[in-house]
């Protein structure tokens, strides 16, 4: 076999996730090395650290990743894919029921004062209140929707009389 034609193993970029396929490849290489050692007793004995180093070089995956994958396999018997998506809480989940009730009361106070509650006016009133969280317009609109308030567009009509001024 021509040694010059063989390219080196492609390294996995640092910080990039290792999928279940690559994890399974690490397990298969580990099993293969253990099986070779059992089949050939005259073969040079490798300790665990040297085996991890050899698997790391041949796969291009970091030693720490190989070690954690093998330890997960030895403890659980299987390997799993990492969770790539972060679970983030929404604005609605961050605002508790007490704050939602306070926002509701602020909106109703506009009606009691015989004022039309527009989104900018309500947002200013809520952000000025120290006890309530500061909200952006889009977040505030999501909370309003969760509180089951409806948005209504009002068109102002101007009536002109036919009298001359």
């Amino acid at each position: 076999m021509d040694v010059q034609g063989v390219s080196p193993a492609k390294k996995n970029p640092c910080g990039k996730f290792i999928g279940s396929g690559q994890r399974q490849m690490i397990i298969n290489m580990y099993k293969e090395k253990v099986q070779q050692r059992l089949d050939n007793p005259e073969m040079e004995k490798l300790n665990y650290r040297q085996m991890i180093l050899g698997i790391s070089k041949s796969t291009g995956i970091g030693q720490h990743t190989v070690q954690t994958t093998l330890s997960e396999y030895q403890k659980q018997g299987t390997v799993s894919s990492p969770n790539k998506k972060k679970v983030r809480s929404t604005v609605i989940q961050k605002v508790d029921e007490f704050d939602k009730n306070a926002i509701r009361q602020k909106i109703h106070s506009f009606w009691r004062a015989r004022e039309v509650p527009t989104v900018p006016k309500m947002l200013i009133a809520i952000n000025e209140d120290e006890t309530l969280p500061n909200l952006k317009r889009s977040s505030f609109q999501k909370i309003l929707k969760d509180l089951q308030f409806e948005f209504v567009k009002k068109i102002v009509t101007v009536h002109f009389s036919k009298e001359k001024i």
Side-chain angles (χ1 to χ4, degrees):
M1 184 171 146
D2 187 21
V3 177
Q4 292 175 340
V6 177
S7 63
K10 187 175 181 183
K11 285 187 79 177
N12 189 57
C14 187
K16 189 171 182 203
F17 286 107
I18 302 292
S20 58
Q22 288 174 307
R23 288 175 182 254
Q24 195 59 49
M25 183 173 61
I26 292 170
I27 301 302
N28 290 342
M29 289 186 79
Y30 172 73
K31 286 179 179 177
E32 184 180 316
K33 288 192 183 265
V34 169
Q35 189 62 41
Q36 284 176 356
R37 194 180 334 161
L38 292 174
D39 291 345
N40 265 344
E42 301 94 33
M43 191 176 164
E44 179 186 338
K45 299 234 179 199
L46 294 174
N47 63 14
Y48 189 70
R49 178 62 82 207
Q50 291 171 332
M51 193 178 300
I52 288 173
L53 183 66
I55 292 171
S56 174
K57 280 186 179 179
S58 60
T59 59
I61 298 171
Q63 294 176 26
H64 183 71
T65 305
V66 171
Q67 184 176 350
T68 54
T69 303
L70 289 176
S71 66
E72 179 186 342
Y73 176 73
Q74 289 168 350
K75 287 178 187 172
Q76 299 176 355
T78 59
V79 288
S80 60
S81 274
N83 184 12
K84 294 181 185 179
K85 294 185 180 180
K86 292 182 180 178
V87 179
R88 295 189 175 144
S89 59
T90 62
V91 171
I92 297 169
Q93 293 169 340
K94 288 179 184 176
V95 177
D96 61 349
E97 287 300 315
F98 178 78
D99 289 337
K100 286 181 184 178
N101 285 332
I103 291 170
R104 189 179 286 116
Q105 291 300 318
K106 281 271 188 198
I107 295 168
H108 288 304
S109 69
F110 274 95
W111 288 111
R112 277 187 238 113
R114 300 226 180 251
E115 252 186 271
V116 178
T118 61
V119 173
K121 279 197 244 177
M122 292 185 293
L123 192 57
I124 289 169
I126 289 170
N127 284 339
E128 285 177 351
D129 192 347
E130 296 295 322
T131 59
L132 295 173
N134 281 343
L135 300 170
K136 293 185 179 169
R137 183 184 175 103
S138 57
S139 303
F140 179 60
Q141 286 178 321
K142 287 177 187 173
I143 291 171
L144 286 177
K145 189 173 184 180
D146 184 55
L147 293 173
Q148 297 178 347
F149 281 103
E150 292 180 9
F151 292 99
V152 178
K153 267 193 174 176
K154 287 257 182 172
I155 299 174
V156 178
T157 57
V158 179
H159 296 285
F160 294 104
S161 63
K162 292 186 179 183
E163 297 176 19
K164 290 185 181 179
I165 301 176

